Amino acid sequence: MDHVTFSPQGICSIQIDFDIEDGKLYNVKFIGGCNGNLKAIGKLVEGKDAKEVAEILRGNTCGMKGTSCADQLAKAIDEQLG
């Protein structure tokens, strides 16, 4: 299992942690940000295919920021999977 710690840019969360095993996501946790919504994202993606999750979340924006916590998770997954 690979553990990933990612420092997102342009969002309220200051860190995203997750594990990838056999291409699937586990233990997704956001530090900072909208606690309830981000816990929900973690629950929704638990055990799901990482590439598929990244495809779904990529490009999601929050207000005028041009990115979001979900988009930054997709970026972190993309970076990890290369």
Side-chain angles (χ1 to χ4, degrees):
M1 184 174 295
D2 292 327
H3 180 75
V4 178
T5 297
F6 180 77
S7 297
Q9 302 294 313
I11 61 171
C12 299
S13 294
I14 59 169
Q15 183 174 311
I16 304 171
D17 291 308
F18 59 93
D19 299 314
I20 294 183
E21 182 174 7
D22 297 326
K24 301 203 182 302
L25 285 176
Y26 299 96
N27 307 312
V28 175
K29 293 187 178 45
F30 293 81
I31 309 302
C34 302
N35 189 39
N37 291 332
L38 297 175
K39 282 183 190 175
I41 288 174
K43 288 179 178 184
L44 287 168
V45 303
E46 182 73 15
K48 304 288 191 226
D49 181 84
K51 286 183 183 181
E52 184 177 312
V53 169
E55 288 175 16
I56 292 168
L57 299 180
R58 190 179 304 112
N60 187 65
T61 60
C62 181
M64 302 299 285
K65 294 180 181 180
T67 190
S68 67
C69 292
D71 183 57
Q72 289 292 299
L73 175 58
K75 182 177 179 182
I77 294 167
D78 290 342
E79 285 186 12
Q80 181 63 25
L81 297 179

